[in-house]
Structure formats: C-alpha cells, structure tokens
Amino acid sequence: MSLIVTKFGGTSLCDLERVQAAAQKAVACRQEGHEVIVVVSAMAGETDKLEDLGYSISTRPDPREMDVLLASGEQVSIALIAMAIQDLGVPAMSYLGNQVPVYTTECHQRARITEVGCEELRRSIDQGAIPVVAGFQGVASTGEITTIGRGGSDTTAVAIAVAMGALECRIYTDVDGVYTADPRIVEQARRMDRVTFEEMLELAALGAEVLHLRSVEYARRYSIPLKVFSSFIDGPGTLIVEEGESMEQPEVSAITFDKNEAKVTITNVPDIPGIAYQLLGPVGDANISVDMIVQNVSRDERTDLTFTVPRNDFEQSLEILRDQVIRLRREAEDPTLYEMEVIGDDAIAKVTAVGLGMRSHAGIATKMFETLAQYGINIQMISTSEIKISVVIHEDFCELAVRMLHSAFDLGAD
Ligand code: ADP
Ligand code: ASP
Ligand code: MG
C-alpha cells in the first residue's frame, strides 16, 4: 500500500471545525486506499502567542526554554486531531517529536533534522492507526527538546515522507496552491499548476511562507513529490517539479517579499585585507545568518559595509558589532584607522522577482527599477542571482512594490 504524508498548517487549524475538517481529509485519504501519516503545526496564532509570552517574561529568553515553550503548541493540536480522527471511527495515535523520534542537532530554535526513527510510526500504521506527529519539534541526541525554526513543520512532514519512503507529501494550507505572489497582498495573483524546485527554493528563501525552505530542499534532494493544496476547498493544488525541457519560461514567474530582515551598516571601514572577516566573523559565530552583503567602492581608503540579518537578531548584531569595533580600535596600532560607526535600520523590506526565464531574457532588472522609480520607491540595496533580483526598500512601500511589479511583469489572471 502506498503511504502519503499529509501536513496541516496552523492556518488550517484555526478552530475546532477546521480541526475536524483536517481529520476528515486524513480519513478520506485512507479511504482512497493509502496508508496515512498526519503531521501538524500548532493551531493558528498559538506559536506567536507562546513566543510573545517568552519575550514578555524575559528580554532575551533562553533558547532552550523557548524550545520547551514553543513545542507545547503542537502538543495540543496533535491530541485534538487524533481525537477527531478517532471520532470518525479510525484509530489514531498522537506523537511528540521525541516519541517518533525526530532526531535533530542541538542548536535550539534552529535545529536541523538529522534522522527520523521509522519503527514506531510503522508499528502504528501496521496496527491500523493513523499516526499524528507534532511538526516543528524534535529531540537532540542529548534528549533535549528542540525546534527547527518557524514554519518548520513542512520540513518535518517531508523528512518523515523521506524516511518512511512515502509516495508523496501533501501540504494542506489556507491557500489552494503556490501563487504568482502572496494572494493576501495581490488580489490578481494566479495559482500556478506547477512550479520548479529551483524557483520554489528562491521563493521560500525570500519570504513566501507557503513552504518552509528546507522542506523544498529535502523534497528535491530525495525526489519526494511535494504538493500544496487547500485544506478548505478541493482543487488541483500546485506540484513542485524538476524543470522539464518543454516548460514554458516566462521572464518572471512570481514576486515575493520579506519583512523579517533588518539592515546593518558599518561606515568608515578601513579598506584593508581581513576587515570583513574581523567584522562579520563574530556575527557568524553567534549563529546569526548574514545575507545580502554590499561593500561600496572605497573612497580615501574607507568604505561602507552593509548587510542584512534576520530582524529577530538585529539588536544582538548591533551589539556584537559595536563591541567588535571597540575591540579593534583598542588593539590597533593606529586607532584612527578604526573610526567606524555601526548603524542599523529595521524598517526595511526585501522584494524579489523570481523566474527561470531570467536566464534567457535581458532587461528584467531595468524593468524592475523602472517600475519602482515610477512610484517613487527608493532602492537601498540590490542583489541578483541567475534566476532572481532582490531589492531592499523601505517597508512602508513593500505592498505597493509587490503589486506594481506583479502587474508590470503581467503575472495576473487574464
Ligand atoms: P500554514 O499555517 O498552513 O503553514 P503559512 O502561513 O505558513 O501556512 O503559509 C501559507 C501562507 O503563505 C498563505 O496564507 C499566503 O498568505 C502566504 N504566501 C506567501 N507567498 C505565497 C505564494 N507565492 N503563494 C501562496 N501563498 C503564499
Ligand atoms: N507552529 C510553528 C510556527 O508557527 C511551526 C509551523 O507552523 O510550521 O512556526
Ligand atoms: Mg507554514
């Protein structure tokens, strides 16, 4: 019998009616003749509430304790879904991450899944039950509870699908597929029947919450068919696919945005070898991922270095860099060389156009800059790769920019 892993996100579990609807979908999948594993996230808004609680009690909450706190959200939803499935006459068993077990690295709040134990899930299925697994959480080899990053239950679902040799992984959410832009922001956004892994990786990395980045990476690496469906309505959904030769390649396939970053600038940086390493090394050592680095051409042997970091790590990044600047000045033979200033801005948004067609179409950047210029939107930073162009702008213009670019690249429904 073929196994299907179905994942229900928080947005699909906003109330008890939705919990029952998710249970019905899982049972229907089984009635089609499949073995089924359900992976769930916490009910809508619960993880945010828990995170807020942590930050209300402590200005910099201990990551270990935050994991214990955040993991409790999924404990509620697995039990409720399991009970709802049982009420439909089908046996179900809930599992926390450490009961599966879903093994992870030890890095609290950003752990990575290293292995999934299959024995217990297999035993449960063989006994006729639907296992209901808590997404987003796992257990380190030390026995510590870990979480794998916000939005991570998609990744739990794919990791379980890979480990269990599933036929496919279905992600049920509040939209009926992957769109040309976030449908909450762009009314004209269009569902795509298919999107390539390559584009989906860029979209997920650059703000499209619909799939967690690592779920796309795993599914691609292990060739697990990954599909996005609505948990509210039936429909064809979106299939994430490898690029085929005959696939039409519009110049831009989708526009996405990310408001979860902040910008850090170090001014007056001496233009000497090793300085970027000395400044960014301690930021990396603190496990803060640095993105979009821009270093300007030097004037008078001084330059400005600007980069973005996750907004949650903004204050800590400023602190680390200010300490580092003081240290470098103190230890330098010529302290005047190190008259740097660290400034930051967290009111930014990154807006990105993604498309495989960029490889073969010229002028896409120009069209993007022209569109932003028409609406008086100032570009603060730019970065490009083979299939994407990102700009950093003021966050107040984010939605306008996304809508205008979506329309400029003609992505809307006819
Ligand atoms: P879940 O709780 O089911 O995991 P998420 O909130 O993580 O759901 O992801 C679904 C949301 O992703 C949608 O409500 C939608 O607003 C947002 N989203 C952003 N970009 C896109 C896109 N390109 N296509 C579809 N949804 C998108
Ligand atoms: N409940 C977790 C979160 O809100 C995990 C997830 O939704 O995938 O981030
Ligand atoms: Mg999600």
Side-chain angles (χ1 to χ4, degrees):
M1 233 199 264
S2 54
L3 170 71
I4 295 193
V5 175
T6 57
K7 179 258 169 177
F8 296 91
T11 49
S12 318
L13 306 174
C14 49
D15 54 36
L16 292 183
E17 236 169 75
R18 299 311 318 167
V19 170
Q20 280 159 339
Q24 275 157 6
K25 281 229 181 288
V27 169
C29 183
R30 196 159 106 141
Q31 282 161 350
E32 284 163 22
H34 302 292
E35 293 175 335
V36 179
I37 296 178
V38 174
V39 174
V40 288
S41 171
M43 290 174 78
E46 286 305 314
T47 314
D48 286 342
K49 274 192 216 154
L50 293 167
E51 203 170 48
D52 288 350
L53 267 178
Y55 279 96
S56 335
I57 200 99
S58 162
T59 44
R60 200 174 291 162
D62 178 28
R64 177 186 187 273
E65 303 313 328
M66 276 304 265
D67 272 354
V68 174
L69 182 64
L70 295 191
S72 68
E74 273 71 12
Q75 180 156 358
V76 175
S77 51
I78 51 169
L80 291 176
I81 295 255
M83 288 189 250
I85 294 176
Q86 289 164 0
D87 267 20
L88 294 169
V90 176
M93 281 275 283
S94 64
Y95 292 93
L96 290 167
N98 63 343
Q99 292 174 304
V100 173
V102 176
Y103 290 113
T104 71
T105 55
E106 282 163 40
C107 186
H108 286 291
Q109 296 197 265
R110 323 165 191 227
R112 297 180 76 88
I113 297 177
T114 50
E115 198 188 335
V116 175
C118 297
E119 247 172 67
E120 184 51 35
L121 293 179
R122 182 37 59 205
R123 201 184 57 79
S124 180
I125 294 170
D126 288 346
Q127 286 178 349
I130 297 184
V132 182
V133 178
F136 174 59
Q137 57 179 264
V139 60
S141 56
T142 50
E144 292 287 284
I145 291 178
T146 54
T147 63
I148 61 171
R150 296 298 309 269
S153 43
D154 300 331
T155 299
T156 309
V158 173
I160 289 178
V162 170
M164 296 290 293
L167 180 70
E168 64 184 45
C169 181
R170 298 182 184 169
I171 306 288
Y172 287 93
T173 181
D174 64 339
V175 281
D176 62 343
V178 180
Y179 276 67
T180 49
D182 187 340
R184 280 191 238 186
I185 305 296
V186 183
E187 217 179 297
Q188 292 78 18
R190 190 173 39 80
R191 183 184 58 78
M192 297 182 273
D193 284 328
R194 286 157 175 256
V195 58
T196 63
F197 274 108
E198 222 174 316
E199 288 167 312
M200 195 62 236
L201 284 169
E202 294 284 12
L203 290 174
L206 294 159
E209 287 160 22
V210 62
L211 284 175
H212 193 238
L213 175 60
R214 292 202 318 268
S215 70
V216 188
E217 284 170 0
Y218 286 178
R220 184 180 205 187
R221 190 175 326 142
Y222 297 101
S223 302
I224 283 283
L226 183 60
K227 297 176 180 172
V228 179
F229 294 104
S230 161
S231 61
F232 300 93
I233 49 166
D234 289 333
T238 297
L239 175 63
I240 322 298
V241 292
E242 283 300 344
E243 183 184 355
E245 273 174 27
S246 61
M247 278 186 77
E248 193 192 340
Q249 293 180 351
E251 46 183 9
V252 168
S253 303
I255 308 291
T256 189
F257 67 93
D258 189 351
K259 283 188 170 179
N260 289 314
E261 292 203 350
K263 187 177 76 168
V264 178
T265 299
I266 311 153
T267 60
N268 246 344
V269 177
D271 195 7
I272 51 175
I275 190 69
Y277 168 66
Q278 281 177 308
L279 289 169
L280 295 181
V283 180
D285 291 345
N287 246 319
I288 296 173
S289 48
V290 169
D291 187 30
M292 261 184 119
I293 307 172
V294 175
Q295 184 180 319
N296 298 331
V297 176
S298 78
R299 277 168 283 105
D300 311 326
E301 314 213 319
R302 293 284 195 278
T303 178
D304 290 349
L305 183 65
T306 303
F307 56 89
T308 58
V309 291
R311 215 176 269 194
N312 278 346
D313 297 324
F314 178 53
E315 294 298 337
Q316 198 189 348
S317 305
L318 292 180
E319 233 171 77
I320 290 173
L321 282 162
R322 287 180 178 139
D323 286 351
Q324 180 67 345
V325 165
I326 292 169
R327 202 179 64 77
L328 288 172
R329 198 177 303 146
R330 201 173 39 225
E331 290 172 3
E333 272 177 33
D334 175 6
T336 60
L337 203 58
Y338 292 91
E339 282 165 350
M340 294 177 265
E341 199 191 342
V342 181
I343 49 180
D345 178 4
D346 63 353
I348 61 159
K350 183 157 68 179
V351 176
T352 304
V354 174
L356 288 184
M358 281 189 203
R359 292 186 196 135
S360 49
H361 289 84
I364 294 173
T366 314
K367 189 159 165 182
M368 187 165 181
F369 303 156
E370 184 190 5
T371 307
L372 296 172
Q374 270 168 7
Y375 292 89
I377 301 173
N378 187 39
I379 300 172
Q380 303 176 16
M381 293 170 86
I382 302 167
S383 91
T384 63
S385 80
E386 208 188 9
I387 65 158
K388 68 124 210 277
I389 302 171
S390 297
V391 292
V392 166
I393 58 175
H394 193 285
E395 70 172 357
D396 288 353
F397 295 111
C398 177
E399 282 79 7
L400 176 67
V402 172
R403 286 192 199 108
M404 295 313 132
L405 290 169
H406 191 268
S407 141
F409 287 105
D410 219 6
L411 299 182
D414 295 332

